[in-house]
Structures are given as C-alpha cells and as structure tokens.
Amino acid sequence: MFNIHLVRAQWDDMPTALALEKVMERARTDDPEELKKLTGLSKEKIKDYKLILDLPERYKQLIWDGLPMNFFVEIEENVIRPLTRQRPLVWQEFGGDAIRDAFLAKRDAGALTDVVDVRKMRPIIKRAAEDAGGPETASPFDDVIRDLILDPASSIEESYAEVALAGVELSRLAGSARSLIAAVDRLIGVTEGNESEREQLRTVVTDTQVALQARLDALPE
C-alpha cells in the first residue's frame, strides 16, 4: 500500500518518514535494500527519512510545519558529520542540536536563503583540517567555523571565498588538467595515420601551450 500510494501522489516529508517507520516495525528490518523493495523509495531517500526520524521532536515539528527535511539533511552531511570526523574539538564545543539551532537562526536572520549554501561548509571544515595537520590540532580556521555557528548574520559565502575557494578551484583545475592530458593521449592514438587530424591536434595543443605559458609568465614569483 505504501508503494501504491506513492505512485498516485507524493506524500509530504514527515508523513512519508512515519509511514516508513511503520514499515520498518512491521517488516522488522531497517536494511535499506529490503526497504527499497518494500516501499519503492530509493536508498538515498530511505537514509534521509531515517535521519529525520532520529531528530528531536521540535525539529520534526518544524518539518510538519513546512520546513523541508533537506534542511536538516544538508546540515548533517555538510556540517555535523565533517566536524565529528575532521574537527572533533570544535564539534565537542557545540553538539548537533546547537549546530542545527545555529543554522535555523541564520536562516531566520536572512543570512541563509538557500540551504544548498550549507554545502560550502564542508570545504571550509576540510581547509581547517588540512591546516591543522590532524583532528586534535587547532587551526586559525576553526575560528571561522565557530563564527559561522555563533553569529546568525555571518555569511557562509564570504567565509567560503576567504578560506576555501582557492583550494576548491585548484583541485578542479588539477582534475581538468589531468582530463586534458588524457584526451590528448587518446587523440594521439586515434589520429594515427590521418595527417589532417594529426595537424589539427598539433594546433590545438600548441595554442593551449602558448596560452598557458602566457599565464604562467604572468604569475608573480
């Protein structure tokens, strides 16, 4: 019946989570694969619904009142879990409920208009961990994280630009460079025996080399 109802119309978040809870009780299983077969829900959705079932009642009421469950899912995946793994000392200062309350306050203050912006907390936390060199070692970037939690008006976007943007972009650039080299290697093989295509490849590679060299020369020592 659960599966049939979802085909007819999508339930809201909390009714779906509570229906899933009933299924788990009656089927006596919380195995995602088994629940997927029983309900028709994806394993990702099952994980999200199980997460909100474990939330304190006051957060569940907010979801009943219309706050998307994704708000709490994003905070869990991009703030709470990364902190527990990478910055445990900062995590111990606050705990899950205080962090959830902090981001609710940020939302109410207008400093968090799109919950997807919470994803930028993960690279900020990662940058602090890399700077510290270990989970138990302090980093100056820990204070950035604390400020984002304590100050409802603090901007995730501004902190991300200050702390983590360059690292994220450099990582993407390195990935793009590897993809470019791999593409050239493939084309060297594909164009073998076709001088016209081989000449086009030489032109593309040469033009790219010249453009990159110009930018390298412009970098200050």
Side-chain angles (χ1 to χ4, degrees), residues 41-128:
L41 293 168
S42 68
K43 288 195 282 188
E44 185 68 24
K45 277 294 185 182
I46 289 168
K47 182 189 71 163
D48 293 346
Y49 288 128
K50 288 169 71 175
L51 184 152
I52 67 171
L53 285 171
D54 289 336
L55 290 175
E57 289 300 322
R58 60 195 176 101
Y59 300 125
K60 293 179 184 177
Q61 186 59 53
L62 290 174
I63 298 172
W64 272 112
D65 293 341
L67 181 65
M69 76 168 179
N70 196 47
F71 184 89
F72 295 106
V73 172
E74 293 288 353
I75 292 171
E76 183 73 23
E77 293 183 350
N78 296 290
V79 186
I80 292 176
R81 289 179 187 170
L83 280 178
T84 58
R85 292 193 301 266
Q86 299 176 11
R87 311 306 300 139
L89 297 180
V90 177
W91 160 252
Q92 290 165 17
E93 291 179 34
F94 298 99
D97 286 355
I99 289 172
R100 293 184 191 101
D101 289 342
F103 283 88
L104 284 166
K106 195 177 293 294
R107 173 179 174 270
D108 293 341
L112 180 60
T113 57
D114 188 343
V115 69
V116 173
D117 286 344
V118 173
R119 295 177 187 177
K120 292 176 180 175
M121 288 294 299
R122 183 186 288 269
I124 294 173
I125 294 168
K126 181 181 178 183
R127 179 70 177 88

Coordinates of all heavy atoms in Angstrom, one line a residue, residues 41-128:
L41 N 11.0 3.4 -2.4 CA 11.8 4.5 -2.2 C 13.3 4.2 -2.6 O 13.7 3.0 -2.5 CB 11.8 4.9 -0.7 CG 10.5 5.5 -0.2 CD1 10.5 5.6 1.3 CD2 10.2 6.9 -0.8
S42 N 14.0 5.2 -3.0 CA 15.4 5.0 -3.2 C 16.2 4.8 -1.9 O 15.7 5.3 -0.8 CB 16.0 6.2 -4.0 OG 16.1 7.3 -3.2
K43 N 17.3 4.2 -1.9 CA 18.1 4.0 -0.7 C 18.6 5.4 -0.1 O 18.7 5.6 1.1 CB 19.3 3.1 -1.0 CG 18.9 1.7 -1.1 CD 20.1 0.7 -1.1 CE 20.9 0.7 -2.3 NZ 22.0 -0.3 -2.3
E44 N 18.8 6.3 -1.0 CA 19.2 7.7 -0.6 C 18.0 8.3 0.2 O 18.3 8.9 1.3 CB 19.6 8.6 -1.8 CG 20.1 9.9 -1.4 CD 21.4 9.9 -0.7 OE1 22.2 8.9 -0.9 OE2 21.7 10.9 0.0
K45 N 16.8 8.2 -0.3 CA 15.7 8.8 0.4 C 15.4 8.1 1.7 O 15.0 8.7 2.7 CB 14.4 8.7 -0.5 CG 14.3 9.8 -1.5 CD 14.0 11.1 -0.8 CE 13.8 12.2 -1.8 NZ 13.6 13.5 -1.1
I46 N 15.6 6.8 1.7 CA 15.4 6.0 3.0 C 16.4 6.5 4.0 O 16.0 6.7 5.2 CB 15.6 4.5 2.7 CG1 14.4 3.9 1.9 CG2 15.7 3.7 4.0 CD1 14.6 2.6 1.3
K47 N 17.6 6.7 3.6 CA 18.6 7.2 4.6 C 18.2 8.6 5.1 O 18.3 8.8 6.3 CB 20.0 7.4 3.8 CG 21.1 7.9 4.7 CD 22.3 8.2 3.9 CE 22.1 9.4 3.1 NZ 23.3 10.1 2.6
D48 N 17.7 9.4 4.2 CA 17.2 10.8 4.7 C 16.0 10.7 5.7 O 16.0 11.4 6.7 CB 16.8 11.6 3.5 CG 18.0 12.0 2.6 OD1 19.2 11.8 3.0 OD2 17.8 12.4 1.5
Y49 N 15.1 9.8 5.3 CA 13.9 9.7 6.2 C 14.3 9.1 7.6 O 13.8 9.5 8.6 CB 12.8 8.8 5.5 CG 12.1 9.5 4.4 CD1 12.0 8.9 3.2 CD2 11.6 10.8 4.6 CE1 11.4 9.6 2.1 CE2 10.9 11.4 3.5 CZ 10.9 10.8 2.3 OH 10.2 11.5 1.3
K50 N 15.2 8.2 7.6 CA 15.7 7.6 8.8 C 16.4 8.6 9.7 O 16.3 8.6 10.9 CB 16.6 6.4 8.6 CG 15.8 5.2 8.0 CD 16.8 4.1 7.5 CE 17.5 3.4 8.6 NZ 18.3 2.3 8.1
L51 N 17.1 9.5 9.0 CA 17.8 10.6 9.7 C 16.8 11.5 10.4 O 17.0 11.8 11.6 CB 18.6 11.4 8.7 CG 19.5 12.6 9.3 CD1 20.7 12.8 8.3 CD2 18.7 13.9 9.4
I52 N 15.7 11.9 9.7 CA 14.8 12.8 10.4 C 13.9 12.1 11.5 O 13.5 12.8 12.4 CB 13.9 13.6 9.4 CG1 12.9 12.6 8.7 CG2 14.7 14.4 8.4 CD1 11.9 13.4 7.8
L53 N 13.8 10.8 11.3 CA 13.1 10.1 12.4 C 13.9 10.1 13.7 O 13.3 10.0 14.8 CB 12.9 8.6 12.0 CG 11.7 8.4 10.9 CD1 11.8 7.0 10.4 CD2 10.4 8.7 11.5
D54 N 15.2 10.2 13.6 CA 16.0 10.3 14.8 C 16.2 11.7 15.4 O 16.8 11.9 16.4 CB 17.4 9.7 14.5 CG 17.4 8.2 14.2 OD1 16.5 7.6 14.8 OD2 18.3 7.7 13.5
L55 N 15.6 12.7 14.7 CA 15.7 14.1 15.2 C 14.8 14.3 16.4 O 13.8 13.6 16.6 CB 15.3 15.1 14.1 CG 16.2 15.2 12.9 CD1 15.5 16.2 11.9 CD2 17.6 15.8 13.3
P56 N 15.2 15.2 17.3 CA 14.3 15.6 18.4 C 13.0 16.1 17.9 O 12.9 16.6 16.8 CB 15.1 16.7 19.1 CG 16.5 16.4 18.8 CD 16.5 15.9 17.4
E57 N 12.0 16.0 18.7 CA 10.6 16.3 18.3 C 10.4 17.7 17.8 O 9.7 18.0 16.9 CB 9.6 16.0 19.4 CG 9.4 14.5 19.8 CD 8.9 13.7 18.6 OE1 8.0 14.3 17.8 OE2 9.3 12.6 18.4
R58 N 11.2 18.6 18.4 CA 11.0 20.0 18.0 C 11.4 20.3 16.5 O 10.8 21.1 15.8 CB 11.7 21.0 18.9 CG 13.2 20.8 19.0 CD 13.8 21.6 20.2 NE 15.2 21.3 20.4 CZ 16.1 22.2 20.1 NH1 15.8 23.3 19.5 NH2 17.4 22.0 20.3
Y59 N 12.4 19.5 16.1 CA 12.8 19.6 14.6 C 11.8 18.9 13.7 O 11.5 19.4 12.6 CB 14.2 19.0 14.4 CG 15.2 19.7 15.2 CD1 16.1 19.0 16.1 CD2 15.4 21.1 15.2 CE1 17.1 19.6 16.8 CE2 16.4 21.8 15.9 CZ 17.2 21.0 16.8 OH 18.2 21.6 17.5
K60 N 11.3 17.8 14.2 CA 10.2 17.1 13.4 C 9.0 18.0 13.3 O 8.4 18.0 12.2 CB 9.8 15.8 14.1 CG 10.9 14.7 14.2 CD 10.3 13.5 14.9 CE 11.4 12.5 15.0 NZ 10.9 11.3 15.8
Q61 N 8.7 18.8 14.3 CA 7.5 19.7 14.2 C 7.8 20.8 13.2 O 6.8 21.2 12.4 CB 7.2 20.4 15.6 CG 6.0 21.2 15.6 CD 4.7 20.4 15.3 OE1 4.5 19.4 15.9 NE2 4.0 20.9 14.3
L62 N 9.0 21.2 13.0 CA 9.3 22.2 12.0 C 9.1 21.6 10.6 O 8.6 22.3 9.7 CB 10.8 22.7 12.1 CG 11.1 23.6 13.4 CD1 12.6 23.8 13.5 CD2 10.3 24.9 13.3
I63 N 9.4 20.4 10.5 CA 9.2 19.7 9.2 C 7.7 19.5 8.9 O 7.2 19.8 7.8 CB 9.9 18.3 9.1 CG1 11.4 18.6 9.3 CG2 9.6 17.6 7.8 CD1 12.2 17.3 9.4
W64 N 6.9 19.2 10.0 CA 5.5 19.1 9.9 C 4.9 20.5 9.4 O 4.0 20.6 8.6 CB 4.9 18.8 11.2 CG 4.7 17.3 11.5 CD1 5.4 16.6 12.4 CD2 3.8 16.4 10.8 NE1 4.9 15.3 12.4 CE2 4.0 15.1 11.4 CE3 2.9 16.5 9.8 CZ2 3.3 14.0 11.0 CZ3 2.2 15.4 9.4 CH2 2.4 14.2 10.0
D65 N 5.6 21.6 9.9 CA 5.1 22.9 9.6 C 5.5 23.4 8.3 O 5.2 24.5 7.9 CB 5.6 23.9 10.7 CG 4.9 23.6 12.1 OD1 3.9 22.9 12.1 OD2 5.5 24.0 13.1
G66 N 6.3 22.6 7.5 CA 6.7 23.0 6.2 C 8.1 23.2 5.9 O 8.5 23.4 4.7
L67 N 9.0 23.2 6.9 CA 10.4 23.3 6.6 C 10.9 22.0 5.9 O 10.7 20.9 6.4 CB 11.2 23.4 7.9 CG 12.7 23.6 7.8 CD1 13.1 24.9 7.0 CD2 13.4 23.6 9.1
P68 N 11.5 22.1 4.7 CA 11.9 20.9 4.0 C 12.9 20.0 4.8 O 13.8 20.6 5.5 CB 12.6 21.4 2.7 CG 12.0 22.8 2.6 CD 11.8 23.3 3.9
M69 N 12.7 18.7 4.8 CA 13.6 17.9 5.6 C 15.1 18.0 5.1 O 16.0 17.8 5.8 CB 13.2 16.4 5.5 CG 13.5 15.7 4.2 SD 13.3 13.9 4.4 CE 13.6 13.4 2.7
N70 N 15.2 18.4 3.8 CA 16.5 18.6 3.2 C 17.4 19.6 4.0 O 18.6 19.5 4.0 CB 16.4 19.0 1.8 CG 17.7 18.8 1.0 OD1 18.3 17.8 1.1 ND2 18.1 19.8 0.2
F71 N 16.7 20.5 4.7 CA 17.5 21.5 5.5 C 18.3 20.7 6.5 O 19.5 21.0 6.7 CB 16.5 22.4 6.3 CG 17.1 23.5 7.1 CD1 17.5 24.7 6.5 CD2 17.4 23.3 8.4 CE1 18.1 25.7 7.3 CE2 18.1 24.3 9.2 CZ 18.4 25.5 8.6
F72 N 17.7 19.8 7.2 CA 18.5 19.0 8.2 C 19.4 18.0 7.6 O 20.5 17.7 8.2 CB 17.5 18.3 9.2 CG 16.6 19.3 10.0 CD1 15.3 19.5 9.7 CD2 17.2 20.0 11.0 CE1 14.6 20.4 10.4 CE2 16.5 20.9 11.8 CZ 15.2 21.1 11.5
V73 N 19.1 17.5 6.5 CA 19.9 16.5 5.8 C 21.2 17.2 5.3 O 22.3 16.7 5.5 CB 19.2 15.9 4.5 CG1 20.2 15.1 3.7 CG2 18.0 15.1 5.0
E74 N 21.1 18.4 4.8 CA 22.3 19.2 4.4 C 23.2 19.5 5.5 O 24.4 19.5 5.4 CB 21.9 20.5 3.6 CG 21.2 20.2 2.3 CD 22.1 19.8 1.2 OE1 23.3 19.7 1.4 OE2 21.6 19.4 0.1
I75 N 22.6 19.9 6.7 CA 23.4 20.2 7.8 C 24.1 19.0 8.4 O 25.3 19.1 8.8 CB 22.5 20.9 8.9 CG1 22.0 22.3 8.5 CG2 23.2 21.0 10.3 CD1 21.0 22.9 9.4
E76 N 23.4 17.9 8.4 CA 24.0 16.6 8.8 C 25.2 16.2 8.0 O 26.3 15.9 8.5 CB 23.0 15.5 8.8 CG 23.5 14.2 9.3 CD 23.6 14.1 10.8 OE1 23.0 14.9 11.5 OE2 24.4 13.3 11.3
E77 N 25.0 16.3 6.7 CA 26.1 15.8 5.7 C 27.2 16.8 5.5 O 28.3 16.3 5.3 CB 25.4 15.5 4.4 CG 24.5 14.3 4.5 CD 23.9 13.9 3.1 OE1 24.1 14.7 2.1 OE2 23.2 12.9 3.0
N78 N 27.0 18.1 5.7 CA 28.0 19.1 5.4 C 28.5 19.8 6.5 O 29.5 20.6 6.4 CB 27.4 20.1 4.3 CG 27.1 19.4 3.0 OD1 27.9 19.0 2.3 ND2 25.8 19.2 2.8
V79 N 27.9 19.7 7.7 CA 28.5 20.3 8.9 C 28.7 19.3 10.0 O 29.9 19.2 10.5 CB 27.5 21.4 9.4 CG1 28.2 22.2 10.6 CG2 27.1 22.4 8.3
I80 N 27.7 18.6 10.4 CA 27.8 17.8 11.6 C 28.8 16.6 11.4 O 29.7 16.4 12.2 CB 26.4 17.3 12.0 CG1 25.6 18.4 12.6 CG2 26.5 16.2 13.1 CD1 24.1 18.1 12.9
R81 N 28.6 15.8 10.3 CA 29.5 14.7 10.1 C 30.9 15.1 9.8 O 31.8 14.5 10.4 CB 28.9 13.8 9.0 CG 27.6 13.1 9.4 CD 27.1 12.2 8.3 NE 25.8 11.6 8.7 CZ 25.0 11.0 7.8 NH1 25.3 10.9 6.5 NH2 23.8 10.5 8.2
P82 N 31.1 16.1 8.9 CA 32.5 16.5 8.7 C 33.2 17.0 10.0 O 34.4 16.7 10.2 CB 32.4 17.6 7.7 CG 31.1 17.3 6.9 CD 30.2 16.8 8.0
L83 N 32.5 17.7 10.8 CA 33.0 18.2 12.1 C 33.4 17.1 13.0 O 34.5 17.1 13.6 CB 32.1 19.2 12.8 CG 32.0 20.6 12.3 CD1 31.0 21.4 13.1 CD2 33.4 21.3 12.5
T84 N 32.5 16.1 13.1 CA 32.8 14.9 14.0 C 34.1 14.2 13.6 O 34.8 13.7 14.4 CB 31.6 14.0 14.1 OG1 31.3 13.5 12.8 CG2 30.4 14.6 14.7
R85 N 34.3 14.1 12.3 CA 35.4 13.4 11.7 C 36.7 14.2 11.7 O 37.8 13.7 12.1 CB 35.1 12.8 10.3 CG 34.1 11.8 10.3 CD 34.1 11.1 8.9 NE 33.8 12.1 7.8 CZ 32.6 12.4 7.3 NH1 31.5 11.7 7.7 NH2 32.5 13.2 6.3
Q86 N 36.6 15.4 11.3 CA 37.8 16.2 11.0 C 38.1 17.3 12.0 O 39.3 17.6 12.2 CB 37.6 16.9 9.6 CG 37.4 15.9 8.5 CD 37.1 16.6 7.2 OE1 37.2 17.8 7.0 NE2 36.7 15.9 6.2
R87 N 37.1 17.8 12.7 CA 37.4 18.8 13.7 C 36.6 18.5 15.0 O 35.7 19.2 15.5 CB 37.0 20.2 13.3 CG 37.4 20.7 11.9 CD 38.9 20.6 11.7 NE 39.7 21.4 12.6 CZ 40.8 20.9 13.2 NH1 41.3 19.7 12.9 NH2 41.5 21.7 14.0
P88 N 37.0 17.4 15.7 CA 36.2 16.9 16.8 C 36.2 17.8 18.0 O 35.2 17.9 18.8 CB 36.9 15.6 17.2 CG 38.3 15.6 16.5 CD 38.1 16.5 15.3
L89 N 37.3 18.6 18.2 CA 37.3 19.6 19.3 C 36.3 20.7 19.1 O 35.6 21.1 20.1 CB 38.7 20.2 19.4 CG 39.8 19.2 19.8 CD1 41.2 19.9 19.9 CD2 39.5 18.4 21.1
V90 N 36.1 21.1 17.9 CA 35.1 22.1 17.6 C 33.7 21.5 17.8 O 32.8 22.1 18.3 CB 35.2 22.7 16.2 CG1 34.1 23.7 15.8 CG2 36.6 23.4 16.0
W91 N 33.6 20.3 17.3 CA 32.3 19.6 17.4 C 31.9 19.5 18.9 O 30.7 19.7 19.3 CB 32.4 18.2 16.8 CG 31.4 17.2 17.3 CD1 31.6 16.1 18.1 CD2 30.0 17.2 17.0 NE1 30.4 15.5 18.3 CE2 29.4 16.1 17.6 CE3 29.2 18.1 16.2 CZ2 28.0 15.8 17.6 CZ3 27.8 17.8 16.1 CH2 27.3 16.7 16.8
Q92 N 32.8 19.1 19.7 CA 32.5 19.0 21.2 C 32.1 20.2 21.8 O 31.4 20.2 22.8 CB 33.8 18.4 21.9 CG 34.1 16.9 21.5 CD 35.4 16.5 21.9 OE1 36.1 17.1 22.8 NE2 35.9 15.4 21.3
E93 N 32.5 21.4 21.3 CA 32.1 22.7 21.9 C 30.6 22.9 21.7 O 29.9 23.6 22.5 CB 32.8 23.8 21.2 CG 34.3 23.9 21.5 CD 35.0 25.0 20.8 OE1 34.3 26.1 20.6 OE2 36.1 24.9 20.4
F94 N 30.0 22.3 20.6 CA 28.6 22.7 20.3 C 27.7 21.5 20.3 O 26.7 21.5 21.1 CB 28.6 23.3 18.8 CG 29.4 24.5 18.7 CD1 30.7 24.5 18.2 CD2 28.8 25.7 19.1 CE1 31.4 25.7 18.1 CE2 29.6 26.9 19.0 CZ 30.8 26.9 18.5
G95 N 27.9 20.4 19.6 CA 27.0 19.3 19.5 C 25.9 19.6 18.4 O 25.7 20.7 17.9
G96 N 25.2 18.5 18.1 CA 24.3 18.5 17.0 C 23.2 19.5 17.1 O 22.9 20.3 16.2
D97 N 22.5 19.6 18.2 CA 21.3 20.4 18.4 C 21.7 21.9 18.3 O 21.0 22.7 17.7 CB 20.6 20.2 19.7 CG 19.8 18.8 19.6 OD1 19.8 18.2 18.6 OD2 19.3 18.4 20.7
A98 N 22.9 22.3 18.9 CA 23.3 23.7 18.9 C 23.6 24.1 17.5 O 23.4 25.2 17.1 CB 24.5 23.8 19.8
I99 N 24.2 23.2 16.7 CA 24.6 23.5 15.3 C 23.3 23.6 14.5 O 23.1 24.6 13.7 CB 25.5 22.4 14.7 CG1 26.9 22.5 15.4 CG2 25.6 22.5 13.2 CD1 27.8 21.4 15.0
R100 N 22.3 22.7 14.7 CA 21.0 22.9 13.9 C 20.4 24.2 14.3 O 19.9 24.9 13.4 CB 20.2 21.7 14.3 CG 20.7 20.3 13.8 CD 19.7 19.2 14.1 NE 20.3 17.9 13.8 CZ 20.8 17.1 14.7 NH1 20.7 17.4 16.0 NH2 21.4 16.0 14.4
D101 N 20.4 24.5 15.6 CA 19.7 25.8 16.0 C 20.4 27.0 15.4 O 19.8 28.0 15.0 CB 19.8 25.9 17.5 CG 18.8 24.9 18.2 OD1 17.9 24.4 17.5 OD2 19.0 24.6 19.4
A102 N 21.8 26.9 15.3 CA 22.6 28.0 14.7 C 22.2 28.2 13.3 O 22.0 29.4 12.9 CB 24.0 27.7 14.9
F103 N 22.0 27.2 12.5 CA 21.7 27.4 11.1 C 20.2 27.7 10.9 O 19.9 28.4 9.9 CB 22.1 26.1 10.3 CG 23.6 26.1 10.1 CD1 24.5 25.5 11.0 CD2 24.1 26.7 8.9 CE1 25.8 25.5 10.8 CE2 25.5 26.7 8.7 CZ 26.3 26.1 9.6
L104 N 19.4 27.3 11.8 CA 18.0 27.8 11.8 C 18.0 29.3 12.1 O 17.2 30.1 11.4 CB 17.1 27.1 12.8 CG 16.7 25.7 12.5 CD1 16.2 24.9 13.7 CD2 15.7 25.7 11.4
A105 N 18.8 29.8 13.0 CA 18.9 31.2 13.3 C 19.4 32.0 12.2 O 19.0 33.1 11.9 CB 19.7 31.4 14.6
K106 N 20.4 31.4 11.5 CA 21.0 32.0 10.3 C 19.9 32.2 9.2 O 19.9 33.2 8.5 CB 22.2 31.2 9.8 CG 23.1 31.9 8.9 CD 24.3 31.1 8.5 CE 25.2 30.8 9.7 NZ 25.9 32.1 10.1
R107 N 19.1 31.1 9.1 CA 18.0 31.2 8.1 C 17.0 32.3 8.4 O 16.6 33.0 7.6 CB 17.4 29.8 8.0 CG 16.1 29.7 7.2 CD 15.6 28.3 7.2 NE 14.3 28.2 6.6 CZ 13.1 28.4 7.1 NH1 13.1 28.6 8.4 NH2 12.0 28.2 6.5
D108 N 16.7 32.3 9.7 CA 15.7 33.3 10.2 C 16.2 34.8 10.0 O 15.5 35.7 9.8 CB 15.3 33.1 11.6 CG 14.5 31.8 11.8 OD1 14.0 31.3 10.8 OD2 14.4 31.3 12.9
A109 N 17.6 34.9 10.1 CA 18.2 36.2 10.0 C 18.4 36.6 8.6 O 18.8 37.8 8.3 CB 19.5 36.2 10.8
G110 N 18.1 35.7 7.7 CA 18.3 36.1 6.2 C 19.7 35.9 5.7 O 20.0 36.2 4.5
A111 N 20.6 35.3 6.5 CA 21.9 35.0 6.1 C 22.1 33.7 5.4 O 23.1 33.4 4.8 CB 22.9 35.1 7.2
L112 N 21.0 32.9 5.4 CA 21.0 31.6 4.7 C 19.7 31.5 3.9 O 18.7 31.0 4.4 CB 21.1 30.4 5.7 CG 21.1 29.0 5.1 CD1 22.3 28.8 4.2 CD2 21.2 28.0 6.3
T113 N 19.7 31.9 2.7 CA 18.5 32.0 1.9 C 18.3 30.7 1.1 O 17.2 30.4 0.6 CB 18.5 33.2 0.9 OG1 19.6 33.1 0.1 CG2 18.5 34.5 1.7
D114 N 19.4 30.0 0.9 CA 19.3 28.7 0.1 C 20.1 27.6 0.9 O 21.3 27.8 1.1 CB 19.9 28.9 -1.3 CG 19.7 27.7 -2.2 OD1 19.4 26.6 -1.7 OD2 19.8 27.8 -3.4
V115 N 19.4 26.6 1.3 CA 20.1 25.6 2.1 C 21.2 24.9 1.4 O 22.1 24.4 2.0 CB 19.0 24.5 2.6 CG1 18.6 23.6 1.4 CG2 19.6 23.6 3.7
V116 N 21.3 25.0 0.1 CA 22.4 24.4 -0.7 C 23.7 25.1 -0.3 O 24.8 24.5 -0.4 CB 22.1 24.5 -2.2 CG1 23.3 24.0 -3.0 CG2 20.9 23.6 -2.6
D117 N 23.6 26.3 0.1 CA 24.8 27.1 0.5 C 25.5 26.4 1.7 O 26.7 26.6 1.9 CB 24.5 28.5 0.9 CG 24.2 29.4 -0.3 OD1 24.5 28.9 -1.4 OD2 23.6 30.4 -0.1
V118 N 24.8 25.6 2.4 CA 25.4 24.8 3.6 C 26.5 23.9 3.1 O 27.4 23.6 3.8 CB 24.3 24.0 4.3 CG1 24.9 23.1 5.4 CG2 23.3 25.0 5.0
R119 N 26.4 23.5 1.8 CA 27.4 22.6 1.3 C 28.8 23.2 1.2 O 29.8 22.5 1.2 CB 27.0 22.1 -0.2 CG 25.8 21.3 -0.2 CD 25.3 20.9 -1.6 NE 24.0 20.3 -1.6 CZ 23.4 19.9 -2.7 NH1 23.9 20.1 -3.9 NH2 22.2 19.3 -2.6
K120 N 28.9 24.5 1.3 CA 30.2 25.2 1.3 C 30.8 25.1 2.6 O 32.0 25.5 2.8 CB 30.0 26.7 0.8 CG 29.6 26.8 -0.6 CD 29.3 28.2 -1.0 CE 28.9 28.2 -2.5 NZ 28.5 29.6 -3.0
M121 N 30.1 24.6 3.6 CA 30.7 24.4 4.9 C 31.7 23.3 4.9 O 32.8 23.3 5.6 CB 29.7 24.1 6.0 CG 28.8 25.3 6.4 SD 29.7 26.6 7.3 CE 30.4 25.7 8.7
R122 N 31.5 22.3 4.1 CA 32.4 21.1 4.0 C 33.8 21.5 3.6 O 34.7 21.1 4.3 CB 31.8 20.0 3.1 CG 32.6 18.8 3.0 CD 32.0 17.8 2.0 NE 30.7 17.2 2.4 CZ 30.6 16.1 3.1 NH1 31.7 15.4 3.4 NH2 29.4 15.6 3.4
P123 N 34.0 22.2 2.5 CA 35.4 22.6 2.2 C 36.0 23.6 3.2 O 37.2 23.6 3.3 CB 35.2 23.3 0.8 CG 33.8 23.6 0.6 CD 33.0 22.6 1.4
I124 N 35.2 24.4 3.9 CA 35.8 25.2 5.0 C 36.3 24.3 6.1 O 37.4 24.5 6.6 CB 34.7 26.2 5.5 CG1 34.3 27.2 4.4 CG2 35.2 26.9 6.8 CD1 33.1 28.1 4.8
I125 N 35.5 23.3 6.5 CA 36.0 22.4 7.5 C 37.2 21.6 7.0 O 38.2 21.4 7.8 CB 34.8 21.4 7.9 CG1 33.7 22.2 8.5 CG2 35.3 20.3 8.8 CD1 32.4 21.5 8.7
K126 N 37.2 21.2 5.8 CA 38.3 20.4 5.2 C 39.6 21.3 5.2 O 40.7 20.8 5.6 CB 38.0 20.0 3.8 CG 39.1 19.2 3.1 CD 38.8 18.8 1.7 CE 39.9 18.1 1.0 NZ 39.6 17.7 -0.4
R127 N 39.4 22.6 4.9 CA 40.6 23.5 4.9 C 41.2 23.7 6.3 O 42.4 23.7 6.5 CB 40.1 24.9 4.4 CG 41.3 25.9 4.4 CD 42.3 25.6 3.3 NE 43.3 26.6 3.2 CZ 44.4 26.6 3.9 NH1 44.7 25.6 4.7 NH2 45.3 27.6 3.7
A128 N 40.3 23.7 7.3 CA 40.8 23.8 8.7 C 41.5 22.6 9.1 O 42.6 22.6 9.7 CB 39.6 24.1 9.6

